[in-house]
Amino acid sequence: MAAPDPLAGLRAALDLSPDNLPLREHLAESLRGLGRLDEAEREFKAALARAPEAASLKVGLARTYYQGGKNGPALVLVEDLLKRPDTPPAAVLLHARLLDRAGEVERAVRQYKEAVASDPSLADAEFAERLGVGADEHESEVIDGRLRAADGDGDGGGSLPIVERPAVTFADVGGMEAVKEEIRAKMIHPLRHPELYKAYGKAAGGGILLYGPPGCGKTHLARATAGEVRAGFVAVGINDVLDMWVGTSERNLHGIFEQARASRPTVLFFDEVDALAASRSDMRQSATRMLINPFLAELDGVRASNDGVLVLAATNAPWHLDPAFRRPGRFDRVVFVPPPDAPARASVLRLLCAGKPARDLDFDALAKRTDGFSGADLKGVVDTAVEAKLRDALKAGSLQPLTTADLATAAGRVKATTKEWFATARNYALYANQGGAYDDVLKYLKM
């Protein structure tokens, strides 16, 4: 016998008074507290349909998203609330939690302190301890979001990234023909036909910003670009640049550009570039704000020529990038990298299954069943199918070949991770698309 629904009374009352917003909000919060997030989400959305500007409802829906791991939709709601002159302190606290989850701990500390200063009842001892708020500088490894230097000498800095010589080319990248053509026009043709471009006064250089859902091959494409022109490849991560000591991040960035200039032609690839080049209006007093102008100066080649330095950058959140980075001569090409289309998905699956025991795999049929899957999602499909087959092989005591049915079953269990990204991107494409920057997203979504 099924247990009675503890919220049955609330639902009955709401049936009698469907426009009672406090009652609907109470039901939604109760559902969230019980972990029934899908139901809570529906109730919050139903309430917002009746009162679109109600701050408490937006905070409740954002908390529901956050609790369910839907960080993108939660951030869109919170950022909207932060623009209000009467921002609820609860929204500021949730922003701190989202920043912490994204690894931006110092910004999280500032937002946490601001929230608690406005409403002391929001203080969370466990969260504050993780952020290092109020920690003893002699005993704690984390102080207000910053790691204490292990040796305490304050030199900062680190070794430069390795210059690779990739063997992969565009032939090893399935699909993405439109993206490849953009890179050819901007980067590859100027290197292969320098005399022609020189006649028109066009130097080989400049930047392309690749954006799209995670796991869709942006890094692989950047590496293949270097292989296509037999150039060096320098992959730059956040930790290669950012440092807690004043001035060290700027020196690290300059050293990376100098390294690329010394080994040109070089593809300089900045992954998660929004962490280094986030909009200054969003960062307020963030330490990374001081890195924007030096970064722009390096891209402009103020102190040294960037001829032969091909700058590629990737981001999952182009809307957080400072607008100055999109001016001519910088990242003046912004290219959408969508999930692989059906032929590309078939190619990826074929590559992932190569060398594995298999029988009569119909990759085209599997491609049709995995619409919207990223390359990483497809790897998850194959891994899930292989794990199930390994269990069968151990029971049978012999190799059991992968079949189309095995992969189709696995595809039903793996969820496309791109959906959350598109939920966020859709909002920016519809409501913050000045200049048509995200028209490709709308086109992909057939809107």
Side-chain angles (χ1 to χ4, degrees):
M1 182 177 176
D5 185 352
L7 303 179
L10 263 178
R11 289 192 184 279
L14 197 56
D15 287 341
L16 294 172
S17 180
D19 294 324
N20 188 325
L21 288 179
L23 189 62
R24 191 174 292 276
E25 184 175 1
H26 180 48
L27 173 61
E29 284 291 356
S30 300
L31 288 164
R32 186 177 70 83
L34 292 170
R36 293 158 62 175
L37 302 182
D38 290 341
E39 295 174 76
E41 186 177 325
R42 283 196 296 272
E43 292 299 337
F44 275 120
K45 286 180 176 178
L48 280 167
R50 293 169 168 81
E53 296 305 315
S56 64
L57 293 174
K58 287 188 175 183
V59 170
L61 181 57
R63 282 171 169 163
T64 305
Y65 283 144
Y66 174 83
Q67 199 169 326
K70 298 180 179 179
N71 302 328
L75 188 59
V76 169
L77 284 169
V78 168
E79 286 179 339
D80 177 64
L81 290 166
L82 292 176
K83 293 174 184 175
R84 297 186 177 198
D86 56 341
T87 301
V92 181
L93 177 63
L94 184 54
H95 191 218
R97 295 188 188 280
L98 286 162
L99 289 169
D100 176 53
R101 186 175 279 182
E104 299 183 54
V105 184
E106 290 190 49
R107 289 182 67 198
V109 167
R110 285 193 296 277
Q111 293 296 78
Y112 175 79
K113 288 181 175 180
E114 182 180 327
V116 173
S118 300
D119 184 355
S121 70
L122 294 175
D124 183 330
E126 183 180 343
F127 185 44
E129 182 180 0
R130 185 165 75 250
L131 294 177
V133 174
D136 188 303
E137 65 179 20
H138 300 295
E139 296 180 4
S140 178
E141 287 298 312
V142 180
I143 307 161
D144 279 0
R146 296 187 300 274
L147 276 175
R148 180 160 52 87
D151 55 6
D153 60 11
D155 289 340
S159 59
L160 293 171
I162 297 170
V163 179
E164 303 175 35
R165 295 288 171 180
V168 295
T169 66
F170 282 173
D172 301 299
V173 179
M176 294 198 280
E177 293 306 321
V179 181
K180 292 177 190 174
E181 195 52 44
E182 286 276 1
I183 294 174
R184 286 190 187 100
K186 176 71 176 175
M187 295 184 165
I188 294 175
H189 293 328
L191 277 178
R192 288 181 172 167
H193 308 284
E195 66 291 336
L196 184 61
Y197 279 75
K198 187 177 180 181
Y200 286 93
K202 187 72 173 174
I208 292 180
L209 176 68
L210 305 174
Y211 79 95
C216 288
K218 294 185 285 293
T219 302
H220 185 51
L221 186 62
R223 190 170 271 108
T225 300
E228 193 75 9
V229 290
R230 298 181 180 179
F233 180 76
V234 180
V236 183
I238 301 169
N239 294 333
D240 295 317
V241 178
L242 295 185
D243 192 277
M244 68 177 286
W245 302 108
V246 174
T248 304
S249 297
E250 292 88 334
R251 286 197 297 274
N252 289 344
L253 184 66
H254 179 64
I256 288 166
F257 268 90
E258 284 296 291
Q259 178 190 35
R261 293 172 186 130
S263 57
R264 64 184 102 193
T266 306
V267 172
L268 191 53
F269 176 64
F270 289 90
D271 198 9
E272 298 180 2
V273 70
D274 50 292
L276 301 174
S279 175
R280 283 168 282 194
S281 63
D282 292 341
M283 287 189 290
R284 298 181 186 177
Q285 300 301 317
S286 171
T288 51
R289 182 173 183 172
M290 302 302 294
L291 195 61
I292 300 292
N293 286 335
F295 200 166
L296 293 172
E298 294 292 351
L299 287 172
D300 292 340
V302 172
R303 289 193 283 177
S305 170
N306 285 335
D307 189 21
V309 176
L310 314 179
V311 184
L312 277 167
T315 177
N316 300 329
W319 36 82
H320 290 319
L321 200 70
D322 194 281
F325 282 88
R326 298 190 188 175
R327 292 176 191 161
R330 296 166 183 173
F331 295 121
D332 46 8
R333 295 280 180 91
V334 181
V335 180
F336 175 52
V337 181
D341 56 17
R345 291 196 298 275
S347 297
V348 171
L349 287 167
R350 190 174 287 108
L351 181 65
L352 291 169
C353 292
K356 295 179 174 62
R359 183 179 63 231
D360 301 328
L361 292 179
D362 187 344
F363 293 109
D364 292 330
L366 291 166
K368 292 178 182 177
R369 297 178 65 100
T370 51
D371 185 38
F373 280 45
S374 68
D377 294 333
L378 294 172
K379 185 178 186 303
V381 168
V382 174
D383 288 345
T384 301
V386 166
E387 287 168 7
K389 218 60 187 173
L390 278 170
R391 287 193 291 270
D392 294 343
L394 288 169
K395 288 178 183 177
S398 61
L399 286 177
Q400 301 293 306
L402 280 170
T403 65
T404 302
D406 295 327
L407 289 165
T409 300
R413 294 175 182 167
V414 175
K415 303 300 181 185
T417 58
T418 61
K419 290 181 179 178
E420 181 182 335
W421 186 88
F422 276 112
T424 302
R426 177 182 178 276
N427 290 332
Y428 281 100
L430 285 174
Y431 307 117
N433 194 21
Q434 294 86 354
Y438 309 123
D439 283 353
D440 285 340
V441 173
L442 295 176
K443 183 178 178 182
Y444 181 86
L445 293 172
K446 296 182 174 62
M447 299 181 67

